[in-house]
Amino acid sequence: MKKNRFSMLALLGIAAITTVFILSCSDDDTPSPTPSPTPSPTPGTTTKNPACFLKDKEKLATIYTMKDLDGTGRLYEVNYTADYKLDEALDANISSAMGLLGFVQHNLYDSVPEPPTNSTLSFLPGCSAFAVPDPQGNSYQMGRNYDFLHRVKISGTDQYAYVPISAFIVRTAPAGKKKSISFVDGLNFGYYQGACNNNTTDLSLLIGLPYAALDGINEDGFAIGVLSLNEAPTMQTDPAKKNINTTVAIRLLLDNASTVDEAIDLLGQYNMRMFNTDDKHNYHYLMADAKGNFAIVEYTRNPSNPSEQFPTRMEVLRHNDTLRCVTNFYVSPTMAGTNDGWGSEHGKTRYWDLRSTLQNHNYALTPEAAMSLLSLVSQERKDNDPTSFTQWSALYNLTNKSVRLALLRDYSKFFDFKVE
């Protein structure tokens, strides 16, 4: 890709999971506020990029813990020590990614930028996940591939250009809650490969990293991953409950749930809202814990109300080994006949590879076999298929509270992390 395309992408702000966030302090099309002077990065960090909308020393210290782990601008680690105000986020009735953007800008920024420009990338991710013990029963694992071919339409053409992402490992240790490690697709915030240490791109939006997790594990061995579905978004409307969106829910659970049962109880206390930039995308979760429990959580339509426009029912599917894996269609039989019901081919080949491998190994895999299974269902880059291209493979050891990470289908090189 040519350099000028990268410059354009630096101005994009793609919100966690769904819509558009602002990134830069200024651009060529929209007036921007005059940022306050930004302190120099803490000595020993790996970036000199500005953070124009942050003034608080603790927030800046958090941003400048960022380290480039492999020296390529492809994988960063952030030790998030600032207060990301989860209680306030839960009280904010966040129903969409734009609502989350507003919360980040008005509650975590120290000065508020101009409204974001409506620029988007194609978004139709495909993912695979499974939960399995090792053969000796000494540990429990959750495997997860995050698959998404980020691409942007080239202005004035019908062609698309591939955009390499930056992946973030985010460590959090909120007071009175649980420590965790979570993984974020940096391009959902507009941070492409190398943007965070190019001395130019503004890093302020990294203050929202805790709310952009796609998968993660906490200190008690509870882990969760989110996977996409081609269906109308969930819209629960119980007036007695507050609203929560897809990724705020992940943060809620990583901070508070020790087990799958606790996570399910917490989710049931909120109205789930999974609004995208359109009405064609929904999501489901796979979760597992250090006790060996696992569950798929889906939001489905009420079969007694065939005219229901949006899914409203929370369904929990578990206690059956065939439910140890999931890709990108509904497991629940109540969604048969919908876009991504059992008749859908969205992720079906990957699903049968997962399921047959687990069955052939009596639903128990060594860590080596589990990573090999992630490799088996990983996807090559296909330029005409946005659901292709495995960005990362994460194998969570729920017993040891650790994770082994492979990037871009390179299973000869691993990055190891532990919640501590």
Side-chain angles (χ1 to χ4, degrees):
M1 186 179 296
K2 294 181 180 179
K3 184 176 180 180
N4 63 339
R5 290 183 193 151
F6 277 150
S7 298
M8 177 270 294
L9 286 167
L11 305 180
L12 295 180
I14 305 142
I17 299 290
T18 52
T19 187
V20 183
F21 273 3
I22 191 166
L23 175 61
S24 296
C25 296
S26 63
D27 59 46
D28 295 333
D29 302 314
T30 306
S32 62
T34 301
S36 300
T38 304
S40 299
T42 303
T45 57
T46 59
T47 181
K48 295 182 180 179
N49 289 38
C52 301
F53 303 111
L54 304 178
K55 301 176 183 177
D56 180 81
K57 291 182 179 180
E58 188 174 2
K59 294 175 185 176
L60 289 166
T62 285
I63 295 302
Y64 291 123
T65 64
M66 188 185 71
K67 296 180 180 179
D68 185 344
L69 295 184
D70 66 348
T72 66
R74 177 68 178 85
L75 181 64
Y76 296 100
E77 182 175 16
V78 172
N79 184 21
Y80 199 110
T81 57
D83 181 4
Y84 47 85
K85 301 182 180 180
L86 178 59
D87 290 340
E88 287 91 332
L90 297 174
D91 286 337
N93 277 305
I94 296 171
S95 297
S96 66
M98 287 306 294
L100 179 56
L101 165 64
F103 175 82
V104 170
Q105 289 185 340
H106 290 280
N107 292 271
L108 301 183
Y109 275 18
D110 297 314
S111 60
V112 180
E114 294 292 320
T117 303
N118 281 328
S119 301
T120 61
L121 292 181
S122 300
F123 189 85
L124 189 60
C127 303
S128 306
F130 60 86
V132 64
D134 71 10
Q136 288 74 40
N138 295 326
S139 63
Y140 295 97
Q141 304 163 99
M142 188 182 88
R144 167 354 189 253
N145 280 349
Y146 170 61
D147 306 332
F148 184 34
L149 178 64
H150 275 292
R151 56 182 192 164
V152 63
K153 192 170 185 180
I154 301 172
S155 179
T157 75
D158 292 328
Q159 298 180 325
Y160 288 85
Y162 162 64
V163 187
I165 78 166
S166 57
F168 284 85
I169 291 88
V170 183
R171 293 183 178 272
T172 54
K177 300 185 185 297
K178 302 181 189 302
K179 299 177 183 177
S180 70
I181 294 173
S182 58
F183 294 85
V184 173
D185 179 344
L187 207 52
N188 286 340
F189 280 149
Y191 298 118
Y192 57 86
Q193 181 179 0
C196 291
N197 48 3
N198 62 6
N199 298 332
T200 302
T201 303
D202 185 78
L203 302 182
S204 300
L205 200 51
L206 291 180
I207 205 67
L209 281 175
Y211 295 113
L214 301 175
D215 50 270
I217 183 173
N218 70 19
E219 64 182 63
D220 291 333
F222 170 80
I224 185 171
V226 62
L227 304 92
S228 73
L229 298 161
N230 291 334
E231 184 52 74
T234 298
M235 183 179 175
Q236 294 183 316
T237 58
D238 186 338
K241 298 178 180 180
K242 294 177 181 178
N243 301 331
I244 194 171
N245 85 331
T246 315
T247 52
V248 175
I250 292 178
R251 177 48 49 199
L252 167 71
L253 301 185
L254 288 175
D255 281 11
N256 293 281
S258 295
T259 64
V260 167
D261 287 341
E262 289 181 6
I264 291 167
D265 179 67
L266 279 168
L267 282 180
Q269 297 176 29
Y270 293 87
N271 286 322
M272 179 61 73
R273 303 292 186 93
M274 292 182 167
F275 276 102
N276 205 325
T277 50
D278 53 33
D279 60 356
K280 298 179 181 178
H281 296 95
N282 205 20
Y283 304 91
H284 54 182
Y285 299 106
L286 177 71
M287 54 183 69
D289 64 34
K291 294 183 177 181
N293 300 314
F294 57 91
I296 299 167
V297 176
E298 297 184 336
Y299 294 86
T300 63
R301 297 180 188 275
N302 188 341
S304 65
N305 183 10
S307 64
E308 185 176 71
Q309 183 179 2
F310 301 103
T312 60
R313 296 194 315 154
M314 176 179 161
E315 285 196 51
V316 179
L317 302 109
R318 53 180 173 174
H319 302 316
N320 186 319
D321 278 334
T322 62
L323 298 172
R324 287 187 177 274
C325 60
V326 65
T327 57
N328 301 110
F329 61 90
Y330 291 93
V331 174
S332 171
T334 65
M335 294 297 282
T338 61
N339 291 336
D340 265 347
W342 263 95
S344 169
E345 293 302 314
H346 189 192
K348 189 64 69 71
T349 299
R350 286 178 281 120
Y351 175 81
W352 286 118
D353 283 342
L354 287 170
R355 185 162 166 177
S356 63
T357 300
L358 293 173
Q359 288 174 326
N360 291 339
H361 289 81
N362 296 316
Y363 299 99
L365 297 175
T366 64
E368 293 77 17
M371 186 60 80
S372 293
L373 180 53
L374 289 174
S375 174
L376 175 67
V377 297
S378 66
Q379 298 191 74
E380 295 180 354
R381 172 182 162 186
K382 303 180 184 68
D383 289 342
N384 61 345
D385 180 5
T387 68
S388 69
F389 205 24
T390 298
Q391 299 287 347
W392 67 72
S393 299
L395 182 61
Y396 293 95
N397 187 310
L398 311 179
T399 305
N400 294 337
K401 290 77 175 178
S402 62
V403 56
R404 169 159 284 192
L405 187 75
L407 294 175
L408 294 174
R409 307 176 72 238
D410 181 1
Y411 299 100
S412 66
K413 180 180 181 180
F414 298 114
F415 299 86
D416 291 302
F417 307 93
K418 186 175 178 63
V419 183
E420 53 190 9

